[in-house]
Amino acid sequence: AALFTVGNTLLRFPWATAQAGVTVSFLLSGLAALGTTLILYPAARGLLHKPFGKSARKRILSGFFAAAVCAVALVCAARCAEDLPAFFAATLLPGGTWIPFTVLFLATAVRLSHIPRRGIDLFALVAFVIGSLAVLILFLRGVPQFRSEYGSLDLPSARAIGASAVSLLSDTVVPMIPLAAYLAVGTPKRRTQTGLRPLAVGVAAGCGLMFLCVLQTLLTFGAPFAATLSYPYSQATRVVSVGHYAFRPEILSYLFDYAACLVRAAVCLACLRRTVGRFLPRVARFVPSAAGIAIFVFLCLK
């Protein structure tokens, strides 16, 4: 849940529109993401996990809810498959590698979406520990570069909040829909009452990691200059890096971004598989592969 919450949100963060109010806007979006999760998880348990019974009304309502969840999950996976290769192409990878990198990324996400939940949980746990250490190490190494004058907390104007609200909602709040549905459908019945707590803790942990990244960027560059950069956090980590790439702590941030985007894409594809499986169990196992191919074709045409 923590890695999913980070996902590609850090790459799409609306620095250019939020400016001085970016910190407060981010905190508000984190609270909105947590509240959305707390509301959607019980709703998904009732509509997608429990037996449909003979109620035609519940079947129709569950069908509309499932369609909305699948649409959001597909869009979120497509955004990850678009944003991560673009980020790596601009910062790390040589030219002409977009297609093979995107193919490998989607193939890995599809594979992760098919393995048992314990497998993806183990992968996410290892990636979360490494990613948390990476963010913490980069933050501590960046402390000597921080400027105290950049640490003032300005209340954002209504205009600043409105400018960043759409992007923050679409990248922080809306992705909570497939996350809540994925965990609601897969959580065993005996853990109905306890499944919400780790989900909420995970979302809060993900928002906490992103907050450290945002704070490091702001204290290094300041909001006005950060708004002029394509990937401000990546630039902030480069400030504390010296030498060849293989020996620079900056490389840790790339691993963190890759793992977060991969987990979000894999969970979205697994959400598609599980949600479709509640209605069409025989075709559910083909859904992630079909979705991966469709996303790749869409990105090529785009």
Side-chain angles (χ1 to χ4, degrees):
L3 283 178
F4 184 97
T5 301
V6 176
N8 59 327
T9 301
L10 193 59
L11 303 180
R12 300 178 63 91
F13 199 80
W15 300 94
T17 54
Q19 296 185 4
V22 66
T23 306
V24 176
S25 298
F26 171 74
L27 292 175
L28 292 176
S29 69
L31 292 175
L34 188 59
T36 302
T37 304
L38 296 176
I39 294 173
L40 282 177
Y41 180 81
R45 291 285 300 185
L47 292 173
L48 297 179
H49 188 275
K50 294 182 179 179
F52 296 133
K54 298 181 180 180
S55 174
R57 181 180 179 181
K58 183 178 180 180
R59 286 180 176 272
I60 295 174
L61 185 60
S62 298
F64 278 112
F65 183 78
V69 168
C70 289
V72 174
L74 187 61
V75 171
C76 289
R79 283 188 171 185
C80 286
E82 179 182 16
D83 292 339
L84 187 68
F87 168 67
F88 277 139
T91 57
L92 188 63
L93 295 178
T97 58
W98 178 86
I99 291 180
F101 182 86
T102 304
V103 170
L104 289 174
F105 175 79
L106 286 172
T108 306
V110 169
R111 176 56 184 162
L112 279 177
S113 69
H114 278 290
I115 64 177
R117 180 175 166 181
R118 185 177 297 273
I120 193 172
D121 285 351
L122 180 60
F123 171 82
L125 177 61
V126 174
F128 172 73
V129 173
I130 296 175
S132 299
L133 290 175
V135 171
L136 183 59
I137 290 172
L138 291 170
F139 185 86
L140 294 177
R141 288 182 64 92
V143 170
Q145 308 295 332
F146 292 169
R147 302 286 296 272
S148 59
E149 59 268 28
Y150 294 153
S152 59
L153 185 61
D154 299 326
L155 292 178
S157 63
R159 183 178 181 181
I161 293 178
S164 59
V166 175
S167 179
L168 284 171
L169 289 174
S170 63
D171 298 327
T172 306
V173 179
V174 174
M176 296 299 105
I177 298 175
L179 175 63
Y182 166 78
L183 293 175
V185 175
T187 302
K189 293 182 179 181
R190 64 181 181 276
R191 297 189 60 191
T192 300
Q193 303 299 326
T194 60
L196 186 59
R197 180 179 298 177
L199 175 58
V201 171
V203 173
C207 290
L209 287 177
M210 282 195 294
F211 180 73
L212 283 181
C213 299
V214 171
L215 189 62
Q216 179 175 352
T217 304
L218 291 177
L219 293 177
T220 303
F221 295 135
F225 182 67
T228 65
L229 303 173
S230 299
Y231 300 104
Y233 177 65
S234 177
Q235 296 288 343
T237 60
R238 292 184 188 183
V239 172
V240 300
S241 296
V242 178
H244 297 290
Y245 269 114
F247 301 98
R248 293 165 62 171
E250 171 195 349
I251 201 70
L252 297 174
S253 67
Y254 297 138
L255 297 175
F256 178 59
D257 289 324
Y258 181 85
C261 287
L262 180 60
V263 167
R264 176 173 281 192
V267 169
C268 286
L269 295 177
C271 176
L272 284 173
R273 178 175 60 84
R274 289 184 173 182
T275 304
V276 172
R278 291 289 290 133
F279 300 89
L280 302 171
R282 292 186 178 181
V283 302
R285 62 192 182 96
F286 302 106
V287 170
S289 299
I293 295 173
I295 290 172
F296 179 73
V297 172
F298 170 75
L299 293 179
C300 289
L301 294 177
K302 185 178 180 181

